[in-house]
Amino acid sequence: AAAGDADAKAALAYYYLWYSGIPRDEQAALRLAQESAAAGSARGMTRMAVHYQDAIGVPRNYRKAIDLLEQAAARGGNSAKAMLAWGYMCGDDSSDYDPDKALPYIKKIKESCSSSKFAAMATYCMLKNDPKTAYKWLQKGIALDNQRAAMNAARFRFYGWGCDEDEKGALADTKALMGKYGENNIDLILAVGGGSVVD
C-alpha cells in the first residue's frame, strides 16, 4: 500500500475494519478505500461501496454504493458481483428484491476465486422452486473443494431439498466438515438444522 498498489490499499482497508488481529481504524480504512477506488481498483470501489452502504465514515448512500458496485463488477470484481447478486436475491434497504437481476451477476462470478458462486446459484434456484438444480450446483462446488457449498449441501441433505432426506448422513457430513475445516467454524455448527440457504 505504501508503494501505491491500489489493490493492496483495498485489502488493507478491509483489515482495518474487520480483522481482529489489528485495532479497528475506520478513518484509515476510509482513506485507503477512497485512494484505491480513485485509482480505478475494483476492490477499492467495492470497499467504498461498503462504506456508503453501512455509513462507515461517510453518510449512508445506497445509490452511491450500488453505482460503485456496478462499476467494480464491470471491471471484473468478484466481490462486487456477489454483493449485487445477494442484494437482489435478499432484497433490503440497498436494493430491490429481484432474483432475475441477480442471475447475470452470479453467472459472471469466477468459480476459481470465489466461494460465493455455488451458494448463490443454489439460492437462485431455490427462489425459482428448483431444488434439484440447486443441489447440483452445490455438488459442483464440493467437487472443487468449496467449503460453503459443502456446508449448504449438508443442509440440503438434512431437509431433503433436491435430494433424498437423510438427517443422519447430513450430520455425519457436518461432523466431517468440522474436522476438515475446524470445529470452531460457527457456519459449520449452524449448517444443519438451522435457517435458510441464504447466507
Side-chain angles (χ1 to χ4, degrees):
D5 185 284
D7 286 343
K9 289 181 180 182
L12 190 56
Y14 177 88
Y15 271 54
Y16 275 127
L17 285 183
W18 307 117
Y19 185 59
S20 61
I22 58 176
R24 185 178 173 93
D25 189 337
E26 292 183 4
Q27 288 306 307
L30 176 60
R31 176 181 53 80
L32 288 161
Q34 287 172 328
E35 291 175 3
S36 179
S41 166
R43 292 178 182 175
M45 292 173 185
T46 303
R47 297 306 321 144
M48 273 308 302
V50 171
H51 281 270
Y52 282 116
Q53 178 178 295
D54 296 340
I56 303 172
V58 294
R60 179 172 278 113
N61 188 323
Y62 292 129
R63 185 66 258 164
K64 280 189 178 181
I66 291 174
D67 287 346
L68 283 164
L69 289 175
E70 288 175 345
Q71 290 178 53
R75 291 173 181 253
N78 269 321
S79 294
K81 295 170 194 170
M83 287 176 67
L84 287 164
W86 287 112
Y88 284 124
M89 287 193 293
C90 298
D92 54 28
D93 291 335
S94 62
S95 59
D96 296 328
Y97 173 76
D98 191 343
D100 289 330
K101 284 186 178 179
L103 186 58
Y105 291 112
I106 299 171
K107 287 181 175 180
K108 292 177 183 176
I109 295 172
K110 292 181 181 177
E111 295 175 4
S112 59
C113 55
S114 174
S115 65
S116 191
K117 180 160 190 165
F118 306 101
M121 279 301 303
T123 299
Y124 174 81
C125 292
M126 290 295 280
L127 292 172
K128 293 295 183 178
N129 297 312
D130 187 359
K132 288 186 176 181
T133 302
Y135 189 67
K136 286 178 182 177
W137 270 100
L138 296 177
Q139 293 301 308
K140 185 177 180 181
I142 290 171
L144 296 173
D145 197 29
N146 184 275
Q147 181 180 359
R148 184 183 289 189
M151 291 188 297
N152 278 302
R155 186 179 299 147
F156 272 55
R157 192 173 178 190
F158 186 89
Y159 288 112
W161 296 339
C163 60
D164 292 333
E165 184 178 318
D166 182 2
E167 292 183 7
K168 288 184 179 179
L171 291 169
D173 288 348
T174 304
K175 187 174 180 180
L177 289 167
M178 290 171 70
K180 181 175 183 178
Y181 295 113
E183 297 227 0
N184 292 324
N185 187 326
I186 190 66
D187 288 333
L188 284 169
I189 294 169
L190 297 176
V192 172
S196 165
V197 66
V198 178
D199 292 278

